[in-house]
Amino acid sequence: MATPTAPEVPHPGAGGPSDAAVQRPWRKRLCMSRVGDAAEAFLTDAGFDRGPWLTVGFAGGIGAWFLLDNALQWVGFLTLCAGGAGAAIAAWRAREDRIRLLVTVVALCLMLAAGMTTIWARSEMVGAPAIDHPQMMQLDARILSRDEQPAEDRVRLVLAARHPETARAMKVRVNVPVARDDPSFTEGARIRLRARLMPPAPPILPGTYDFARAAWFEGLAATGSLAGDIELVEPASEGDALAAAQRRLSAHVRARLDGSPGSIAAAFASGDRGSIAEEDDIAMRDSGLYHLLSISGVHVSAVIAAAYFLAMKLLALWPWLVLRVRLPLVAAAIGALAGIGYTLLTGAEVPTVRSCVAALLVLLAISLGREALSMRMVAVAGFGVLLLWPEALVGPSFQMSFSAVIAIVALSGAGWVKRFLAAREESWFARTGRRAAILFLTGLLIEFALMPVVLFHFHRAGIYGAFANVVGIPLVTFVTMPALALALLLDLAGLGGPVWWVVGTSLELLLALARAVAEQPGAVKLIPQMRLGTLLTILAGLAWLALWRGRARAWGLVPVVLGAAMFLAAPKADLLITRDGRHVGIVGEDERLLVLRESRSSYARDNLLEMAGSAGEVVPLDRWPGAQCTPEFCAITLRRGDRSWHVLMARGRDMVEERALAAACDRAHIVVAERHLPRSCRPLWLKADRRFLEREGGTLVYLGTGEVRTVAQGQGEHGWWRGQRN
């Protein structure tokens, strides 16, 4: 048997690896060690608080599910998260001095995975496939909810029914004219009706409201309107007591106050915004006060604070209780019950639930003697909302609510603000002035924090919102809400009349403020759409500014400035093509917007104006001197830079001789039509006919860069998007 020999050790210069090659792994380890030490030191010096960032990680996982396209990519993301957590444990398992960094990396990876898993599971559990196409249906249905909207002259019913052909259970929403309504059509009643139903509509253009996505998470398979008779088959045996109480309360408030003040008071008391007139709605929106119409932080805080204050003052009059019970705990419990009851009574929408959870955490902190306002409190409230309704993350309500709250908490926690508001020997006037200055600064900061969200979702920028909120928020918080609660309480004894006058007067002042601000020149400016990447960049910078401390916070300015530069440098779309091809907007030929045809639909016109960033009038293309129109087609030449683009757009559905159409297509760079065009129609660049639009959805065309953006590009294979199946 051969004797094993010892392996030869290569000698430097004898053909083996060099000293540098032998030492390279140690250098890598040394480099990684230095990076780890630097990261650990950074987290320590910056006052890193893991709690808020865990909620950010959970939200990041939810957002990744919406951004990624399909199940393969979602699984890949989860695999990366698991791999990241495992790699962190393996890399630093022997370094006890880096336990802070280890736990942070592992926890963030797990929260990212948890966020994606939560929204994926939510989508599978509640998502409902839409009906295939618009159709008339005879339904035998059970009413799930009833929403009265007198301002729109309709009642909106959500029904549980079965498809008459497939017998598939489905949830539909039907608008019933007030003239055809009956008070017996309440929750639990069974009705029979004929309705014109449509699948929930996708965005009309890239970046506009995605109703199909919202309907998916609400479980709606179709929406539509009454198209025939409606009859009661079976009355409700046990009605929804909470919904009935909400309607009675709304009707009572409107009976006590007439006109617009009564409609807004009903919204404050019961969450019923269906009776608010359109002109008041627009004035509140354009003045920056629209958030007051949605039951959220201002209203919930006012109710809870009033209940807490009254409980403390009234219970303090009972000496026996004062000596035996901690009054702050009892008052906090009473305030919590008031807040929960108000949240349920007003419909328990996401902003209301978020505000209620945050207020309850504040009460808990006060009861325990802890700091009332903190980022951890906001993080817990956000995590609770996202755990129950993860889809809320992509909606403007959640984004605006939490952006505002985070801005307030970040400002209130700043050292210089605490020093500025610290108690001192001074006059009442000086103390009030300092608080007013901070209130105004808070309003400006909220406007700054909300600006990217508002620009992304609503394509408009308000200029005077901070000034309006300095007056509007205290008016609603300290006058309207307490007076409304007192008036309802006194109405039990029939003594609320004088207090109702106070409520009405305060709301008239609020509306006068809204109208005055909205009517100012330049109060609202329409802005072309902000890209999603730009929004995420700015929000990442703002989150960094809010959640870090010390000098590390300043690094958040880098993505904010970068995002602002991206927004300012982004080009406007030259051609706006709606999802059905009937409406086409042309930007850049005039300050006004050129449109293919005048539309009876204000929805299509308003979306075209918003995406164009134009507040001016629209001009039909057949009245534009640079266009050539026939009953069947319109043609126009657009000049961008040193290049000309010939655009051909179909106006009607009449048959056109194919050879003539093919010749016209050959001369055009872009052809748009709401119908299918023959294969012989071959434009030089883009053919946006019905086949293309059914597959891609609404389209934006940028002639300067040659970019074509479609709705389908941002949808992936999520269940609510039907384009890939056409």
Side-chain angles (χ1 to χ4, degrees), residues 339-627:
I340 293 171
Y342 183 64
T343 299
L344 294 174
L345 187 62
T346 54
E349 296 182 354
V350 172
T352 318
V353 173
R354 186 270 308 164
S355 302
C356 184
V357 172
L360 294 181
L361 291 174
V362 170
L363 285 177
L364 180 62
I366 293 174
S367 302
L368 298 177
R370 303 289 295 273
E371 184 180 358
L373 293 177
S374 67
M375 284 298 175
R376 285 196 171 192
M377 177 269 292
V378 179
V380 171
F383 180 78
V385 172
L386 291 177
L387 189 63
L388 296 176
W389 301 284
E391 69 275 10
L393 177 71
V394 297
S397 177
F398 179 90
Q399 295 172 12
M400 294 175 68
S401 296
F402 276 91
S403 295
V405 173
I406 290 173
I408 293 172
V409 173
L411 181 64
S412 65
W416 67 270
V417 173
K418 293 180 178 179
R419 292 190 296 270
F420 184 75
L421 293 177
R424 63 195 72 177
E425 291 291 334
E426 62 182 349
S427 65
W428 174 88
F429 181 79
R431 184 168 60 253
T432 304
R434 284 191 293 109
R435 281 165 171 73
I438 290 297
L439 181 62
F440 178 70
L441 180 61
T442 302
L444 288 177
L445 182 62
I446 291 174
E447 288 291 318
F448 176 74
L450 296 184
M451 186 68 70
V453 178
V454 173
L455 289 177
F456 179 79
H457 289 284
F458 306 112
H459 323 296
R460 59 181 62 230
I463 299 176
Y464 307 121
F467 299 91
N469 278 286
V470 167
V471 179
I473 292 178
L475 179 64
V476 171
T477 305
F478 300 114
V479 180
T480 305
M481 291 299 295
L484 179 58
L486 181 60
L488 291 171
L489 182 63
L490 292 177
D491 271 357
L492 297 176
L495 302 175
V499 186
W500 281 114
W501 177 86
V502 175
V503 176
T505 302
S506 66
L507 290 175
E508 288 174 355
L509 290 174
L510 180 68
L511 285 170
L513 172 67
R515 291 164 184 157
V517 172
E519 291 171 358
Q520 296 302 312
V524 175
K525 181 174 178 58
L526 292 180
I527 306 292
Q529 188 213 5
M530 176 184 286
R531 299 288 186 95
L532 178 60
T534 302
L535 174 69
L536 295 178
T537 302
I538 295 176
L539 290 183
L542 293 177
W544 186 282
L545 286 169
L547 298 182
W548 289 106
R549 301 175 186 173
R551 295 181 179 179
R553 173 177 287 180
W555 287 103
L557 293 173
V558 175
V560 171
V561 173
L562 176 61
M566 292 166 60
F567 173 66
L568 295 175
K572 283 187 179 182
D574 298 283
L575 212 59
L576 319 173
I577 307 170
T578 62
R579 59 175 176 254
D580 57 4
R582 286 185 52 81
H583 305 286
V584 181
I586 298 175
V587 182
E589 295 300 290
D590 191 272
E591 293 183 358
R592 298 168 295 179
L593 176 69
L594 306 185
V595 294
L596 177 60
R597 52 167 59 89
E598 289 186 292
S599 172
R600 294 176 296 177
S601 168
S602 60
Y603 178 75
R605 183 182 64 252
D606 292 346
N607 275 278
L608 287 173
L609 285 171
E610 288 181 1
M611 293 302 294
S614 172
E617 61 179 321
V618 297
V619 179
L621 209 55
D622 56 6
R623 301 180 194 169
W624 182 250

Side-chain angles (χ1 to χ4, degrees), residues 195-269:
R196 182 184 299 106
L197 297 178
M198 300 181 63
I204 190 172
L205 290 165
T208 56
Y209 178 60
D210 193 345
F211 178 63
R213 184 179 64 196
W216 173 265
F217 286 103
E218 292 179 16
L220 293 175
T223 62
S225 58
L226 184 69
D229 295 331
I230 179 172
E231 60 176 314
L232 180 68
V233 176
E234 178 185 332
S237 56
E238 294 182 4
D240 189 331
L242 191 61
Q246 185 180 15
R247 286 194 290 270
R248 286 197 301 270
L249 179 59
S250 177
H252 175 77
V253 172
R254 292 200 302 270
R256 302 293 289 175
L257 287 176
D258 296 329
S260 297
S263 300
I264 296 179
F268 288 172

